Amino acid sequence: MPPRSQALPPQLKAMIRRGLNLVRDPAQLAELGPVVETIAEAVFERWLSGRTAEDNRVEHEFVVFGAAMRIAEAGQLPLAGKLVVVCATFLHDTHPIPRVTETAIRETMRRDPELAARLQEKKARQRLEHMLGGARNARLLLRELEHPLRRGEPIVTGEVRERCAAIIAAHDLWKLGKPHPAAGDPEALVCFEADALWPLHPLGVLADLERPGESGDPRDVNNPAEWRKQVRHNLETLCEYRKNWEAGGEVFQDPDSVFRTAEGYRLYREWAGLWGL
């Protein structure tokens, strides 16, 4: 494991600044800025600086943060809602798990349906562990951190902390076939859509390519065919989850995707369009 550093790399600091620059209300920006920087630095020092390729790229939370700020700002989320989103964005993946991929399950299904079913069960157990562990980490860190501008006060209120933990404790239920989140939970919806965009972002695609394949060998990131194959797979997998909400009466932006906010859908179409999809 690489040595941990207390300082955020310059490129990650720049990503924070770009996300914060999307907030138009000066009063909200003044409140959000110090909180975002403090939480991001603490999460980086404690968890992200030791992240491995098997887990994810270190930029994941920072890309998701930028998308979340765009969606939250377009949806006019109030300051308390944005604080919840910020906390959940940076703390949702702090409990890594060994991955059972959809590709592994599909390939196994062709030759051994019973083994594929066991892999599906293992994936569900791992996801639940991941979510509950992340929620636990969020509660602990947000109790520990002091507000950078108000000595002696916690970095966020108890209400924000508990909303954040609740979102993290359920944030991957959609990957387990559950119709979660509902549009009636705007904070969870912002977090969901921002996270769902990651597999179409260039860094998200690269993260998938850098992860060892089913054979254990890394793929050739200099081969355009590998990129095209991975992007198509990521888009198809994302759209497959749409069936989770078939019976719920939710209103989506198109017949196929999982996006319900106009801004989340706009970003989705931009990223998909980048790849010609």
Side-chain angles (χ1 to χ4, degrees):
M1 182 179 292
R4 298 187 178 224
S5 170
Q6 294 187 1
L8 278 175
Q11 69 270 24
L12 299 183
K13 289 184 178 180
M15 293 171 80
I16 288 176
R17 287 195 298 272
R18 285 193 289 271
L20 287 170
N21 285 342
L22 298 167
V23 180
R24 293 186 291 269
D25 184 334
Q28 284 194 4
L29 182 58
E31 287 289 330
L32 283 168
V35 171
V36 171
E37 292 167 4
T38 300
I39 291 175
E41 288 171 0
V43 172
F44 179 80
E45 178 183 7
R46 192 164 300 189
W47 291 289
L48 304 188
S49 60
R51 180 172 272 172
T52 63
E54 287 82 357
D55 183 15
N56 210 341
R57 290 190 64 87
V58 71
E59 297 95 344
H60 169 67
E61 284 77 2
F62 298 84
V63 170
V64 174
F65 167 68
M69 286 297 98
R70 289 185 184 278
I71 299 168
E73 188 68 16
Q76 299 182 332
L77 213 60
L79 175 62
K82 287 190 174 83
L83 284 168
V84 169
V85 167
V86 164
C87 295
T89 292
F90 283 106
L91 284 154
H92 71 287
D93 279 349
T94 59
H95 188 79
I97 53 171
R99 290 176 180 263
V100 177
T101 66
E102 290 294 329
T103 300
I105 293 171
R106 286 171 183 162
E107 291 181 355
T108 305
M109 180 65 75
R110 298 190 190 105
R111 63 179 188 274
D112 191 338
E114 290 186 3
L115 177 57
R118 291 197 295 273
L119 285 177
Q120 190 69 51
E121 291 174 1
K122 182 179 180 181
K123 175 186 174 184
R125 290 195 301 271
Q126 289 174 336
R127 281 289 166 190
L128 290 172
E129 177 189 342
H130 167 69
M131 292 185 284
L132 294 176
R136 183 170 57 250
N137 288 340
R139 285 192 176 96
L140 290 173
L141 184 70
L142 295 177
R143 283 194 182 102
E144 172 187 327
L145 290 179
E146 182 178 281
H147 196 288
L149 302 181
R150 295 192 279 273
R151 186 176 297 275
E153 291 187 19
I155 192 163
V156 293
T157 66
E159 182 178 359
V160 168
R161 182 184 67 238
E162 290 306 311
R163 279 290 297 127
C164 163
I167 288 172
I168 293 174
H171 77 276
D172 273 347
L173 286 178
W174 64 286
K175 296 179 181 178
L176 300 179
K178 308 295 184 182
H180 182 85
D185 187 344
E187 295 150 357
L189 186 62
V190 168
C191 294
F192 159 72
E193 292 196 354
D195 199 21
L197 288 165
W198 169 250
L200 297 180
H201 189 283
L203 289 172
V205 180
L206 179 59
D208 285 326
L209 292 175
E210 289 175 330
R211 210 169 276 130
E214 304 312 318
S215 66
D217 298 324
R219 283 168 289 180
D220 183 2
V221 298
N222 291 317
N223 183 351
E226 292 282 5
W227 284 78
R228 288 193 295 270
K229 178 181 177 182
Q230 187 64 52
V231 171
R232 285 195 299 269
H233 167 77
N234 289 357
L235 184 64
E236 290 168 4
T237 299
L238 191 59
C239 289
E240 283 177 7
Y241 287 114
R242 170 64 177 270
K243 64 180 180 291
N244 293 353
W245 292 271
E246 282 180 352
E250 295 278 324
V251 178
F252 291 84
Q253 293 288 325
D254 71 4
D256 304 308
S257 78
V258 296
F259 293 90
R260 281 161 282 178
T261 73
E263 183 63 11
Y265 182 69
R266 185 189 70 79
L267 291 170
Y268 162 71
R269 286 311 317 154
E270 282 197 3
W271 286 120
L274 174 68
W275 306 105
L277 300 172

